[in-house]
């Protein structure tokens, strides 16, 4: 049987024949140690030379097979975290719920995990624990490589690659799913989603990133389980949302998040708008396609701008309520901004450095609409983001008296003003001094 893998190949890889069942031997696939980083190869080799089994697993095997450059390298082994730590000079055990070891070689950090088991744990030492809703609150029950494959989220993330003998180990028909461009959750979808609702978001993310279809059985319970997203911790949801909205596939991700009703739980104030207000929908759709384009061109994208734009319609709606209760427009917007942010960060823990910037971007909207004190505003640290939001608002059909065009012309006529590092005290927080390029952080995965 021929496994051909057809995604945008950087190095075209074809798995030719699965002669030995689940082990695809050297020569029958096109992976080679060259696809993995030298540091991670050194870690695998050292573990193996010390008598342990060790494999590359997860995203790096999947991506290399599909012709993408792996983002990071995950190693799985039968050595337990303490044994791993003892082997390497610079190794740190992290995580409680799910212990992994970060091994550092040169400047590279590689995640090394011990094979886990999905079996029910009857022992009293609480290695694997599930809450009443089925959510895994502890997952440190070790097992065999096959157990480990079964506890992974998606079949395409459960391939094991041994660079020493150049074999791929496929326990779950993962290569066949790759060939069929299929996202399939490992095991019973409902149980596995309930164990860790983040998997719902991962299904969406990998389906758009790889342009794979979601298997019917995997998709079936997704809408119904949308409410389980509420169980995910706010910091973890923040990291997941960054991956969903700043990875270059935000538009498609948003469509699927909406389709499965996930937005109602991630950003309830947006979901309400999206149903009733076409303009808000257009604003978000234009934002996300612009963001995707920027990512494609390697331009910087910032979480502050993304969240500020997504939540802007909610701020406007909330402001109207405050104006109706007699507040000035300025105070109404301040109260609205606080209210929208404080509700949102309970669900998605947007860090303060971003929420401060978001408030500044919102506050600048009315200044930009008034078009006065242009020379001062244009030197403002948040001017560019606020101007971009202004343009998007107009683009999505809001009538702002031609403010966007006015500012575009003003900048053309006064290019020198951009250089002025003038800071408007009211709007600028002194703690934030640079507009930073946002790079997706390497976060510790819980699983
Ligand atoms: P990428 O790093 O490109 O986003 P990845 O698949 O490597 O993709 P990681 O978050 O680095 O994603 O996780 C590494 C591997 O750990 C995954 O490929 C998968 O096998 C497993 N994994 C990650 N998250 C979960 C989860 N929530 N449940 C079960 N297994 C998971
Ligand atoms: Mg990874």
């Amino acid at each position: 049987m021929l496994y051909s893998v057809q995604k945008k190949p950087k190095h075209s890889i074809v798995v030719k024949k699965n002669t030995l069942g689940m082990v695809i031997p050297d020569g029958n696939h096109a992976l080679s140690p060259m696809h993995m980083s030298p540091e991670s190869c050194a870690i695998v080799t050292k573990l193996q030379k010390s008598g342990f089994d060790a494999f590359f697993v997860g995203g790096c095997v999947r991506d290399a097979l599909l012709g993408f450059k792996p983002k990071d390298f995950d190693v799985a082994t039968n050595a337990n975290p303490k044994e791993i730590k003892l082997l390497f000079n610079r190794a740190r055990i992290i995580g409680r719920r799910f212990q992994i070891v970060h091994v550092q070689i040169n400047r590279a950090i590689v995640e090394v995990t011990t094979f886990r088991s999905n079996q029910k744990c009857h022992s009293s030492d609480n290695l694997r624990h599930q809450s009443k809703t089925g959510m895994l609150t502890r997952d440190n029950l070790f097992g065999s490589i096959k157990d480990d494959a079964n506890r992974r989220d998606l079949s395409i993330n459960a391939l094991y690659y041994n660079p020493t003998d150049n074999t791929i180990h496929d326990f779950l028909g993962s290569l066949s799913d790759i060939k069929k461009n299929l996202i399939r959750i490992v095991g019973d979808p409902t149980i596995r989603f309930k164990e860790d609702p983040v998997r719902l978001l991962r299904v969406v993310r990998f389906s758009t990133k790889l342009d794979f279809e979601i298997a019917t059985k995997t998709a079936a319970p997704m809408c119904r389980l949308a409410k389980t997203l509420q169980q995910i911790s706010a910091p973890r949801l923040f990291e997941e949302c960054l991956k969903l909205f700043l990875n270059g596939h935000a538009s498609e991700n948003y469509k699927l998040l909406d389709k499965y009703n996930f937005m109602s739980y991630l950003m309830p104030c947006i979901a309400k708008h999206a149903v009733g207000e076409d303009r808000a929908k257009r604003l978000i759709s234009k934002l996300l396609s612009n963001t995707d384009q920027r990512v494609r061109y390697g331009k910087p994208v910032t979480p502050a701008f993304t969240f500020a734009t997504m939540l802007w319609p909610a701020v406007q709606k909330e402001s109207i309520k405050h104006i109706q209760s007699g507040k000035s427009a300025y105070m109404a917007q301040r109260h609205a901004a606080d209210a929208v942010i404080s509700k949102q960060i309970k669900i998605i823990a947007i860090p303060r450095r971003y929420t401060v910037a978001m408030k500044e971007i919102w506050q600048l909207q009315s200044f930009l609409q008034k078009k006065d004190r242009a020379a001062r505003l244009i030197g403002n640290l948040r001017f560019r983001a606020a101007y971009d939001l202004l343009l998007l608002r107009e683009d999505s059909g809001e009538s702002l008296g031609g403010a966007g065009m006015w500012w575009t012309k003003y900048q053309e006529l006064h290019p020198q003003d951009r250089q002025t590092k003038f800071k408007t005290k009211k709007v600028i927080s002194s703690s934030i001094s640079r507009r930073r390029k946002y790079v997706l952080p390497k976060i510790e995965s819980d699983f």
Side-chain angles (χ1 to χ4, degrees):
M1 190 202 276
L2 264 180
Y3 292 102
S4 65
V5 178
Q6 65 283 67
K7 290 294 302 174
K8 308 159 195 157
K10 262 209 165 143
H11 30 259
S12 126
I13 292 178
V14 176
V15 179
K16 288 184 199 145
K17 223 171 187 183
N18 190 342
T19 46
L20 298 179
M22 66 182 186
V23 181
I24 298 99
D26 185 21
N28 283 359
H29 61 84
L31 275 195
S32 91
M34 297 282 286
H35 294 122
M36 307 297 158
S37 71
E39 291 85 3
S40 53
C41 281
I43 291 169
V44 170
T45 311
K46 184 156 185 182
L47 280 161
Q48 291 177 344
K49 284 194 172 151
S50 311
F52 297 108
D53 296 335
F55 298 84
F56 285 104
V57 67
C60 58
V61 182
R62 176 200 68 218
D63 286 349
L65 275 169
L66 287 168
F68 293 111
K69 194 172 186 294
K71 200 164 68 110
D72 50 29
F73 300 91
D74 297 300
V75 171
T77 174
N78 61 352
N80 69 37
K82 283 186 188 142
E83 289 169 326
I84 303 167
K85 190 172 169 3
L86 280 177
L87 276 181
F88 298 95
N89 292 336
R90 292 158 84 191
R92 219 159 50 93
I93 299 178
I94 59 162
R96 228 167 62 91
R97 185 161 85 118
F98 185 87
Q99 275 195 346
I100 58 176
V101 187
H102 272 180
V103 179
Q104 186 169 0
I105 296 195
N106 304 326
R107 294 181 68 191
I109 294 178
V110 176
E111 257 175 32
V112 183
T113 49
T114 306
F115 297 148
R116 297 289 199 285
S117 169
N118 232 356
Q119 307 299 317
K120 286 237 172 318
C121 179
H122 299 295
S123 67
S124 55
D125 41 1
N126 201 17
L127 294 172
R128 192 167 190 276
H129 185 263
Q130 272 173 296
S131 70
K132 280 188 190 139
T133 60
M135 182 148 142
L136 273 179
T137 49
R138 192 168 280 241
D139 190 8
N140 286 315
L141 178 67
F142 302 136
S144 67
I145 181 170
K146 196 167 176 197
D147 294 332
D148 194 69
N150 277 303
R151 69 92 192 161
R152 298 215 165 242
D153 56 348
L154 310 175
S155 64
I156 57 165
N157 288 344
L159 284 168
Y160 295 76
Y161 171 60
N162 182 351
T164 310
D165 61 6
N166 209 30
T167 52
I168 295 177
H169 298 246
D170 179 2
F171 299 90
L172 306 169
S174 306
L175 284 167
S176 156
D177 285 347
I178 287 187
K179 188 193 165 202
K180 290 190 264 182
N181 290 4
L182 206 59
I183 299 287
R184 182 169 59 88
I185 197 110
V186 177
D188 180 296
T190 302
I191 296 176
R192 298 307 312 286
F193 284 135
K194 279 188 177 172
E195 271 177 13
D196 182 9
V198 163
R199 291 172 188 154
L200 293 165
L201 304 178
R202 288 175 63 88
V203 164
V204 166
R205 181 157 64 86
F206 288 115
S207 127
T208 60
K209 172 182 160 169
L210 306 172
D211 197 13
F212 277 22
E213 227 177 90
I214 304 174
T216 317
K217 276 191 182 160
T218 297
M222 283 174 60
C223 239
R224 180 169 48 85
L225 294 175
K227 57 179 174 303
T228 61
L229 292 171
Q230 294 172 110
Q231 295 163 20
I232 305 172
S233 75
R236 199 166 172 220
L237 261 192
F238 174 69
E239 301 298 346
E240 284 304 319
C241 283
L242 292 187
K243 293 183 187 174
L244 286 163
F245 297 129
L246 301 178
N247 74 345
H249 300 277
S251 295
E252 295 159 89
N253 285 335
Y254 186 81
K255 279 184 203 142
L256 284 187
L257 294 174
D258 213 22
K259 173 177 167 184
Y260 292 113
N261 196 28
F262 296 168
M263 286 312 293
S264 306
Y265 296 96
L266 296 178
M267 295 186 184
C269 57
I270 285 191
K272 269 182 229 144
H273 283 280
V275 171
E277 289 174 30
D278 284 352
R279 207 175 57 208
K281 250 186 180 173
R282 279 198 298 275
L283 179 76
I284 291 171
S285 139
K286 281 178 191 295
L287 159 79
L288 300 178
S289 54
N290 280 7
T291 310
D292 288 344
Q293 206 171 17
R294 289 182 71 86
V295 173
R296 261 198 302 285
Y297 293 140
K299 291 187 181 170
V301 287
T302 76
F305 181 69
T306 303
F307 284 115
T309 307
M310 291 179 95
L311 295 173
W312 171 248
V315 173
Q316 279 181 309
K317 200 170 183 177
E318 185 76 23
S319 292
I320 292 171
K321 275 196 235 158
H322 289 288
I323 289 174
Q324 283 166 350
S325 71
K327 293 213 167 59
S328 68
Y330 176 78
M331 286 314 290
Q333 200 196 294
R334 282 190 68 155
H335 285 295
D338 288 342
V340 168
I341 283 184
S342 71
K343 273 187 213 148
Q344 188 58 65
I345 58 173
K346 284 189 189 119
I347 304 169
I348 300 174
I350 308 169
R352 210 181 114 73
R353 63 183 182 282
Y354 298 132
T355 57
V356 168
M358 287 159 65
K359 286 185 192 172
E360 289 168 359
I361 293 168
W362 291 335
Q363 231 176 310
L364 277 173
Q365 294 306 303
S366 56
F367 289 95
L368 294 188
Q369 277 169 248
K370 283 183 202 148
K371 303 176 212 155
D372 63 355
R373 291 189 289 175
R376 283 177 65 146
L377 285 182
I378 211 164
N380 188 304
L381 182 69
R382 302 284 169 221
F383 171 80
R384 184 69 217 195
Y387 164 69
D388 285 346
L389 174 55
L390 193 79
L391 292 182
L392 279 177
R393 288 171 61 196
E394 284 195 328
D395 230 17
S396 55
E398 204 173 341
S399 169
L400 300 175
M405 178 67 86
W406 190 90
W407 280 102
T408 307
K409 284 220 171 100
Y410 184 89
Q411 289 173 85
E412 281 164 13
L413 294 172
H414 304 88
Q416 71 286 359
D417 287 5
R418 262 320 264 145
Q419 316 305 327
T420 323
K421 287 277 179 276
F422 188 87
K423 290 182 182 176
T424 313
K425 261 194 205 155
K426 275 184 189 160
V427 197
I428 290 294
S429 141
S430 57
S431 62
I432 298 177
S433 56
R434 281 179 297 130
R435 186 161 179 260
R436 273 181 268 168
K437 173 173 173 159
Y438 187 77
V439 180
L440 282 178
K442 170 91 183 102
I443 50 160
E444 294 166 12
S445 83
D446 279 321
F447 279 86

